[in-house]
């Protein structure tokens, strides 16, 4: 994972500030991408490589909060650090509630800015890892046969082999064989681990909910 | 009733011894026999004084007959006889109550006449020389006052007129033949000063004139009257005095009132009016029933010190050195005496005018004071409003200011990092410093502009400028606020230069007010519909128009006229000052402001201003 440094996307319509902050970030060892408006940012390729967005709250055209909205819909995981010339409490509360990493006021001291960026990158890293794990799990589940899918769905809901066999119109032994195959494909040792994967992938809404149904 | 009458009679008898005559009152008519000739000034003045004193009481008039007998030239038994017959015939029909004799000779004559005529008629006399009177034996029923001229008086007057007085020159008829002055002969030896006598009866007038023209400067002339000159010609003393005075080289002292004004300098003079009033007083007492014999003969003092102002000037006599109570005649009336009424009116007019001018000046001062005070108040209110408008945009202004400040900070911190690196990147440092300077300038400009808006000016600073520039300034100020509120400020349409003359800050304030108002009107609109436009246009060749157009809710029709009134507001937080300030500002510079609703929704606020240079149409 020691390939390229993280990319900081700076979205600000004030040229001088944009230039200044880019210099600071580069000197601090980050890659920097500059955008003079939210639209310009959206036009570029959306990447989920390590990085974060430094977003000006108040801009002509698409403003910070609107851009944040759009990005969430686009499944962009890049964390957002808001920057504003003059922020008030309602504005900052709204930004944080909708998932912003941080809310900073200009002029912002270097330490504060870099600390916020570091926190955001950290979070992004975690999110990314989690995302990768789930993707891997999905790949494992994708290797199931149709029968294995059916069996897995019923197994994680806590049904007994006997019940499953009855439901699917198969013998108990056949079900046991499917279970074994599923455990192997998921590369897990215990049945509890398999249930946990199912949960993470959202195949079980909640264990309780399943029982109630 | 009878008893009362009796007491009255007894009382009257006790108080008034002449009660017997009173029973038969004297006729109220008086015959004046004067020794003067007709027209002689001094006796004539006496006659007039007698006449007016006798008739002072309008209720009981006294008839006065005057006979001027010229006794200096006429006399003798035959004359007297003829006079008796003449008077008897003349006054046959006239009852005479009192006979008045004026002059010593007249008194002697009257006393003679009484033997035949008006035997019982009481006699009063005046202007009788003391010495003559002493020689007379008065019968009963005669009263009067005597008078006396004194040589000493003439000497006293001469000393006043001539400081180094040492010589008196008597000019006139010989004293021995002068009825009123013959007693001087006895007085003369008492005086040790030089004495010269010019006997007019022995000289011609020409000679007299020559003599008086060559007198030494310590001399004074005492004119005693000339009746005859050396050629035997009869002269009138009064007229002769003028002739003598013409050539006299020394001041002339006289003793008769009527000589003053004929060239005499002054002197103790006999007052004919006092003489006349004295005798008239006696006559009235007699006519009122008092017995003439009961009124004692007295020696009167009828002299008073009189000077001729013109002569005082001629002989350079200081008025202030004259004895107190001296009378000065012929003083030219002062301006005030001559034109007192005109001057009073003039002064009054001047005073009124001055008062009016003072009042007007005061009013003007007061008006100026109050005007400047109200101007000051207006400036205060306008300034207050400007502070409020700018204050409402403070968040946007802070945002605007924080942009360059943020850039500066970031640049400075980058520079620190670069300086810590081992090969120092000088080029980038240079760029950073240039950017810092630029950002700093930008921040300074924002602050300067705000200061300009917030600055409190004492009076309007009139300057000439393009209205479009002010609108650009206003747009610049507004932009961050518009962005904050999500208002799209439409493209500003410029239409040539609009030169106006006003206070720039005031006009920017007016535009900011209208724009803030427009943005407030759009607060409840959906974000996409918040649009504001500013426009300028020419109205004819001499006026510019500024329009602020919004896409808000518009103005209720019935309120279009009220909105510019002070304290009228529809906003919960509004003061109602903003639009009234706009109107005040626009009207200060000779323009109009009004509001309209747009057909497609929203409102337009427009104002006009006169152009200071006509637009070439």
């Amino acid at each position: 994972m020691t390939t390229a440094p993280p990319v900081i996307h700076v979205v600000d319509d004030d040229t001088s500030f944009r230039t200044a902050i880019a210099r600071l970030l580069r000197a601090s060892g980050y890659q920097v991408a500059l955008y003079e408006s939210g639209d310009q940012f959206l036009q570029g390729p959306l990447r989920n490589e390590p990085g974060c967005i430094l977003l000006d709250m108040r801009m002509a055209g698409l403003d910070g909060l609107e851009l944040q909205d759009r990005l969430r819909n686009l499944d962009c995981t890049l964390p957002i650090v808001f920057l504003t010339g003059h922020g008030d409490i309602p504005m900052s509360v709204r930004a944080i509630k909708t998932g912003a990493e941080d809310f900073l006021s200009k002029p912002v001291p270097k330490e504060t800015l870099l600390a916020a960026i570091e926190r955001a990158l950290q979070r992004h890293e975690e999110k990314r890892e989690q995302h990768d794990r789930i993707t891997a799990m999905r790949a494992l589940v994708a290797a199931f046969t149709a029968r294995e899918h059916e069996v897995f769905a019923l197994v994680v809901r806590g049904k007994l082999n006997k019940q499953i066999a009855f439901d699917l119109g198969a013998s108990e032994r056949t079900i046991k064989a499917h279970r074994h195959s599923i455990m192997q494909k998921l590369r897990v040792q215990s049945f509890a681990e398999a249930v946990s994967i199912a949960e993470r992938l959202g195949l079980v809404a909640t264990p309780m909910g399943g029982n109630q149904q | 009733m009878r008893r009362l009458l009796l007491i009255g009679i007894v009382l009257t008898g006790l108080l008034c011894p002449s009660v017997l005559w009173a029973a038969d009152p004297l006729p109220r008519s008086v015959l004046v026999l004067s020794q003067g000739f007709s027209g002689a000034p001094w006796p004539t003045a006496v006659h007039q004084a007698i006449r007016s004193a006798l008739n002072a009481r309008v209720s009981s008039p006294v008839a006065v007959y005057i006979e001027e007998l010229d006794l200096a030239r006429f006399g003798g038994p035959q004359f007297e006889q003829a006079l008796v017959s003449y008077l008897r015939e003349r006054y046959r029909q006239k009852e005479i109550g009192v006979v008045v004799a004026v002059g010593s000779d007249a008194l002697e004559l009257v006393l003679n006449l009484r033997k035949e005529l008006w035997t019982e008629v009481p006699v009063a006399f005046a202007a009788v020389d003391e010495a003559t009177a002493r020689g007379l034996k008065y019968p009963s029923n005669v009263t009067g006052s005597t008078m006396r001229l004194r040589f000493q008086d003439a000497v006293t007057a001469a000393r006043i007129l001539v400081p180094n007085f040492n010589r008196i020159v008597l000019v006139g008829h010989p004293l021995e033949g002068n009825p009123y002055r013959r007693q001087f002969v006895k007085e003369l030896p008492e005086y040790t000063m030089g004495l010269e006598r010019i006997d007019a009866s022995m000289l011609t007038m020409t000679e007299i004139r020559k003599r008086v023209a060559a007198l030494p400067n310590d001399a004074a002339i005492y004119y005693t009257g000339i009746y005859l000159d050396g050629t035997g010609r009869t002269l009138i003393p009064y007229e002769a005095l003028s002739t003598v005075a013409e050539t006299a080289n020394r001041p002339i002292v006289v003793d008769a009132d009527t000589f003053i004004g004929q060239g005499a300098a002054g002197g103790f003079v006999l007052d004919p009016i006092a003489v006349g009033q004295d005798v008239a007083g006696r006559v009235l007492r007699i006519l009122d029933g008092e017995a003439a014999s009961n009124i004692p003969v007295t020696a009167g003092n009828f002299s008073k010190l009189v000077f001729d102002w013109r002569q005082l000037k001629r002989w350079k006599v200081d008025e202030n050195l004259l004895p107190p109570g001296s009378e000065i005649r012929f003083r030219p009336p002062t301006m005030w005496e001559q034109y007192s009424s005109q001057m009073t009116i003039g002064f009054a007019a001047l005073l009124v005018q001055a008062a009016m001018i003072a009042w007007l000046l005061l009013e003007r001062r007061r008006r100026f004071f109050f005007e400047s005070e109200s101007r000051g108040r207006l400036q205060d209110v306008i300034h207050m409003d400007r502070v409020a408008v700018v204050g409402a945009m403070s968040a946007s202004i802070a945002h605007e200011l924080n942009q360059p400040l943020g850039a500066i900070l970031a640049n400075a911190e980058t520079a620190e990092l670069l300086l810590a690196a081992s090969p120092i990147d000088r080029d980038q440092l240079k760029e950073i410093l240039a950017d810092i300077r630029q950002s700093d300038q930008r921040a300074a400009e924002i602050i300067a502009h705000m200061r300009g808006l917030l600055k409190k000016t004492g009076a309007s600073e009139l300057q000439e400028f393009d209205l479009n520039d002010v609108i650009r300034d206003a747009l610049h100020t507004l932009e961050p606020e518009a962005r904050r509120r999500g208002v799209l400020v439409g493209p500003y349409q410029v239409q040539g230069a609009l030169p106006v003359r006003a206070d720039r800050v005031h006009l920017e304030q007016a535009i900011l007010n209208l724009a803030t108002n427009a943005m407030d009107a759009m607060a409840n609109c959906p974000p996409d519909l918040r649009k504001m436009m500013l426009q300028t246009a020419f109205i004819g060749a001499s006026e510019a128009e500024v329009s602020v157009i919004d896409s808000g809710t518009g103005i209720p029709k019935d309120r279009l006229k009220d909105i510019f009134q002070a304290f009228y507001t529809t906003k919960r937080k509004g003061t109602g000052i903003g639009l009234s300030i706009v109107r005040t500002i626009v009207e200060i510079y000779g323009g109009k402001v009004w509001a309209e609703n747009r057909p497609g929704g929203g409102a337009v606020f427009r104002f006009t201003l006169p152009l200071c240079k006509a637009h070439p149409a």
Side-chain angles (χ1 to χ4, degrees):
Chain A
M1 295 290 277
T2 57
T3 51
V7 180
I8 315 295
H9 304 272
V10 178
V11 187
D12 197 310
D13 63 348
D14 191 273
T15 314
S16 61
F17 183 78
R18 207 165 58 229
T19 315
I21 215 78
R23 276 198 197 109
L24 178 65
L25 293 174
R26 280 192 193 112
S28 305
Y30 298 102
Q31 278 194 75
V32 182
L34 298 176
Y35 311 89
E36 62 177 34
S37 68
D39 290 313
Q40 203 191 7
F41 180 78
L42 289 173
Q43 278 159 22
L46 284 178
R47 290 163 299 186
N48 275 335
E49 68 211 36
C52 74
I53 304 174
L54 211 52
L55 182 54
D56 187 16
M57 195 62 141
R58 200 188 289 169
M59 286 182 294
L62 212 54
D63 77 8
L65 289 170
E66 286 166 348
L67 182 63
Q68 186 191 25
D69 249 18
R70 296 273 191 97
L71 290 175
R72 204 173 39 236
N73 294 338
L74 289 171
D75 202 17
C76 175
T77 57
L78 282 173
I80 297 176
V81 173
F82 274 113
L83 263 178
T84 179
H86 185 83
D88 50 24
I89 291 171
M91 198 191 279
S92 54
V93 169
R94 197 180 143 202
I96 298 295
K97 266 191 163 175
T98 49
E101 271 303 317
D102 225 324
F103 188 90
L104 304 175
S105 279
K106 292 178 193 174
V108 57
K110 183 182 69 179
E111 290 73 22
T112 314
L113 177 68
L114 295 184
I117 286 175
E118 272 309 308
R119 264 199 309 277
L121 291 175
Q122 185 83 38
R123 281 279 300 267
H124 189 226
E125 193 56 38
E126 285 167 11
K127 260 194 200 167
R128 237 164 51 92
E129 276 169 18
Q130 196 181 0
H131 191 262
D132 287 350
R133 270 202 304 278
I134 288 169
T135 311
M137 285 179 210
R138 281 218 177 101
L140 295 178
V141 174
F144 288 177
T145 64
R147 201 58 172 180
E148 280 166 355
H149 269 296
E150 287 174 348
V151 173
F152 185 59
L154 292 169
V155 165
V156 294
R157 283 183 187 166
K159 298 230 173 177
L160 301 173
N161 288 344
K162 209 191 289 177
Q163 286 174 308
I164 299 167
F166 177 76
D167 284 352
L168 296 178
S171 70
E172 216 178 321
R173 185 123 47 104
T174 313
I175 299 303
K176 269 188 183 169
H178 283 310
R179 261 180 94 143
H180 183 72
S181 169
I182 286 167
M183 299 279 273
Q184 274 189 329
K185 282 184 177 172
L186 290 178
R187 294 173 197 150
V188 293
Q189 302 303 314
S190 68
F191 182 69
E193 282 176 271
V195 172
S196 160
I197 288 171
E199 261 177 51
R200 286 197 195 173
L201 292 178
L203 297 175
V204 184
T206 53
M208 292 286 283
N211 284 338
Q212 276 174 350
Q213 248 181 0
Chain B
M1 187 71 186
R2 275 176 63 190
R3 246 173 69 186
L4 206 70
L5 192 71
L6 195 72
I7 293 168
I9 292 168
V10 170
L11 277 175
T12 317
L14 283 171
L15 291 170
C16 181
S18 54
V19 67
L20 287 174
W21 282 285
D24 186 15
L26 293 170
R28 295 190 79 82
S29 63
V30 171
L31 175 62
V32 177
L33 293 176
S34 172
Q35 75 180 47
F37 56 90
S38 174
W42 198 87
T44 303
V46 175
H47 306 157
Q48 279 167 359
I50 293 172
R51 195 195 292 274
S52 53
L54 288 178
N55 287 294
R57 282 184 296 177
V58 184
S59 56
S60 49
V62 177
V64 180
Y65 309 107
I66 297 171
E67 295 291 340
E68 289 166 318
L69 304 174
D70 198 1
L71 296 182
R73 287 182 285 184
F74 301 95
Q78 278 158 356
F79 167 73
E80 282 186 25
Q81 210 48 74
L83 187 62
V84 168
S85 349
Y86 162 75
L87 293 174
R88 181 176 284 137
E89 285 309 311
R90 187 167 187 183
Y91 296 95
R92 187 180 291 279
Q93 303 302 322
K94 312 284 180 196
E95 275 194 290
I96 299 300
V98 178
V99 171
V100 174
V102 176
S104 311
D105 293 346
L107 176 59
E108 279 181 65
L109 179 78
V110 166
L111 295 181
N112 273 337
L113 289 181
R114 265 180 115 223
K115 288 164 192 160
E116 298 177 45
L117 200 58
W118 299 311
T119 322
E120 298 302 321
V121 175
V123 172
F125 61 82
V128 171
D129 177 57
E130 211 174 90
T132 312
R134 223 177 286 132
L136 290 175
K137 284 204 129 187
Y138 308 120
S140 62
N141 248 351
V142 174
T143 186
S145 61
T146 60
M147 62 184 199
R148 183 188 174 194
L149 287 173
R150 294 185 306 168
F151 184 68
Q152 194 199 334
D153 286 346
V155 171
T156 308
R159 278 191 211 287
I160 294 166
L161 290 167
V162 182
N164 57 342
F165 172 72
N166 200 29
R167 181 184 296 265
I168 192 151
V169 181
L170 284 167
V171 175
H173 206 72
L175 293 178
E176 292 76 7
N178 190 318
Y180 292 101
R181 301 174 182 89
R182 58 192 135 195
Q183 72 276 15
F184 289 179
V185 179
K186 287 181 206 157
E187 279 184 76
L188 289 179
E190 290 175 31
Y191 296 91
T192 52
M193 91 264 293
L195 175 71
E196 191 179 333
R197 296 168 75 163
I198 296 174
D199 186 348
S201 63
M202 305 298 285
L203 299 167
T204 64
M205 187 50 88
T206 318
E207 285 166 332
I208 298 169
R209 279 160 65 95
K210 245 183 227 164
R211 293 276 297 275
V212 298
L215 297 174
N217 71 351
D218 59 351
I221 298 165
Y222 180 16
Y223 178 77
T224 52
I226 300 173
Y227 310 99
L228 274 172
D229 70 358
T231 62
R233 186 162 62 109
T234 311
L235 293 166
I236 298 169
Y238 166 82
E239 290 171 356
L241 172 57
S242 307
T243 318
V244 172
E246 271 172 14
T247 57
N249 70 342
R250 301 304 303 152
I252 301 171
V253 175
V254 290
D255 51 24
D257 185 288
T258 45
F259 286 159
I260 304 289
Q262 295 300 307
F268 287 89
V269 295
L270 282 172
D271 179 6
I273 293 165
V275 170
Q277 281 171 344
D278 176 89
V279 73
R282 289 166 194 268
V283 169
L284 284 174
R285 282 165 75 180
I286 296 164
L287 288 179
D288 287 344
E290 203 169 331
S293 31
N294 286 352
I295 305 171
V297 173
T298 55
N301 181 15
F302 303 110
S303 286
K304 58 180 182 179
L305 194 51
V306 177
F307 294 94
D308 184 330
W309 183 85
R310 298 163 299 185
Q311 297 295 323
L312 291 180
K313 287 285 163 241
R314 181 179 169 193
W315 306 113
K316 298 188 173 59
V317 177
D318 185 357
E319 252 180 66
N320 299 318
L321 299 179
L322 302 180
S326 302
E327 186 183 326
I328 296 173
R329 292 189 194 163
F330 306 107
R331 190 201 299 275
T334 58
M335 282 284 279
W336 176 249
E337 285 164 341
Q338 226 168 343
Y339 301 108
S340 60
S341 61
Q342 289 94 326
M343 281 168 85
T344 308
I345 291 168
F347 275 125
L350 210 69
L351 212 69
V352 169
Q353 222 171 22
M356 273 170 71
I357 289 169
W359 183 70
L360 286 173
L361 283 175
L362 197 75
E363 277 298 295
R364 189 165 158 253
R365 246 183 81 91
R366 284 177 42 159
R367 200 179 58 203
F368 181 78
F369 174 74
F370 285 121
E371 270 178 7
S372 69
E373 201 183 56
S374 85
R375 259 205 305 275
R377 292 263 162 82
L378 183 63
Q379 292 286 342
D380 283 352
V381 173
I382 291 177
H383 177 251
M384 217 170 67
D385 171 73
R386 202 156 63 230
V387 171
V389 169
V390 173
M393 299 192 299
S394 62
S396 303
I397 293 162
H399 181 270
E400 196 61 10
L401 199 54
N402 282 332
Q403 296 287 13
L405 291 181
I408 288 169
L409 184 62
N411 274 321
E413 285 176 333
T414 309
E416 279 174 358
L417 290 174
L418 290 177
L419 285 171
S422 60
I424 292 178
D425 187 344
R426 288 182 171 274
D427 291 342
Q428 206 184 351
L429 276 175
K430 265 186 196 165
E431 271 176 45
I432 285 172
L433 289 175
D435 282 3
I436 287 177
R437 182 179 292 138
Q438 201 190 350
S439 297
D440 185 86
Q441 270 170 6
R442 189 174 139 201
E445 273 166 28
I446 294 166
I447 292 169
H449 188 73
M450 286 307 124
R451 267 178 62 112
L453 277 178
L454 293 175
K455 188 176 66 178
K456 192 171 177 185
T457 50
S460 299
E461 287 170 11
L462 286 182
Q463 45 188 181
E464 205 180 300
F465 52 85
D466 186 350
L467 193 53
N468 290 312
D469 292 346
V470 177
I471 291 174
R472 281 194 204 98
D473 282 354
L475 280 173
H476 198 254
T477 312
L478 277 170
E479 200 214 333
E481 178 69 9
R483 210 188 301 155
R484 186 176 75 84
R485 298 200 194 193
V487 173
L488 186 69
V489 180
Y492 165 54
Q493 295 169 14
V494 182
Q495 200 190 60
L498 299 166
V500 294
R501 196 171 164 73
D503 188 324
R504 251 184 115 113
V505 174
H506 281 171
L507 288 193
E508 183 173 347
Q509 178 181 1
I511 294 164
L512 290 181
N513 259 325
L514 291 178
T516 309
N517 191 64
M519 291 194 288
D520 287 346
M522 296 185 286
N524 296 325
C525 295
D528 316 350
L529 295 179
R530 295 178 196 163
K531 281 180 192 161
M532 178 169 74
M533 270 206 295
L534 271 75
Q535 281 181 353
T536 54
F538 284 112
I539 303 290
S542 59
E543 272 188 316
E545 186 190 74
V546 176
S547 311
V548 179
I549 303 155
D550 68 54
S551 59
T553 46
I555 306 156
K557 241 185 185 170
D558 54 324
R559 290 182 172 171
L560 275 171
K561 278 187 182 152
D562 301 333
I563 52 173
F564 289 102
Q565 280 174 14
F567 308 117
Y568 177 87
T569 183
T570 54
K571 299 171 205 162
R572 242 158 38 85
K573 285 205 247 168
T575 56
I577 289 285
L579 288 178
S580 83
I581 292 286
V582 172
R583 186 173 67 175
T584 305
I585 289 174
V586 169
E587 283 174 358
I588 285 176
Y589 302 113
K592 291 188 310 228
V593 63
W594 69 97
E596 298 164 7
N597 279 316
R598 287 205 301 161
V604 194
F605 283 78
R606 295 184 205 275
F607 68 83
T608 58
L609 280 180
L611 292 172
C612 62
K613 282 179 198 142
H615 167 61

